[in-house]
């Protein structure tokens, strides 16, 4: 794993309330970390991939977000 990505994932995972976290690199590889037994790393990685695709779709329609936030009743992505 990338030496820069690993510390970031560890720090993000240590935040209160985090179920999982992940990052997609420029080469399209995804690194994910689960913080709860009920949320697998595979599911976190798939979510990161799908959010990345959604962001790309926004860009194709001339929306250029620097950050994207999905907010739910009890949390956000």
């Amino acid at each position: 794993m990338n030496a820069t990505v690993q510390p970031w994932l560890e720090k993000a995972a240590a935040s209160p309330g985090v179920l999982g976290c992940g990052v997609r690199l420029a080469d399209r590889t995804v690194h994910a970390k689960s913080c709860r037994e009920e949320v697998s790393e595979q599911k976190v990685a798939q979510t990161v991939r799908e959010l990345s695709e959604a962001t790309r779709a926004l860009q194709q329609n001339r929306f250029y977000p620097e950050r994207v936030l999905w907010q739910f009743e009890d949390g956000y992505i």
Side-chain angles (χ1 to χ4, degrees):
M1 184 178 300
N2 185 309
T4 304
V5 172
Q6 183 65 33
W8 183 88
L9 281 174
E10 295 298 328
K11 184 176 178 182
S15 298
V18 172
L19 298 176
C21 55
V23 63
R24 180 177 175 257
L25 303 178
D27 66 0
R28 295 187 176 189
T29 59
V30 172
H31 297 282
K33 181 167 178 64
S34 174
C35 301
R36 301 266 176 104
E37 193 173 296
E38 65 270 17
V39 181
S40 71
E41 283 189 7
Q42 292 171 328
K43 288 188 181 215
V44 174
Q46 183 62 35
T47 301
V48 170
R49 283 186 199 92
E50 291 176 7
L51 290 172
S52 175
E53 290 174 19
T55 301
R56 188 170 55 90
L58 288 170
Q59 292 170 343
Q60 289 174 338
N61 288 287
R62 297 187 213 174
F63 291 97
Y64 302 100
E66 284 187 30
R67 294 180 181 212
V68 179
L69 172 72
W70 274 266
Q71 189 165 351
F72 302 94
E73 183 176 334
D74 295 323
Y76 62 90
I77 296 175

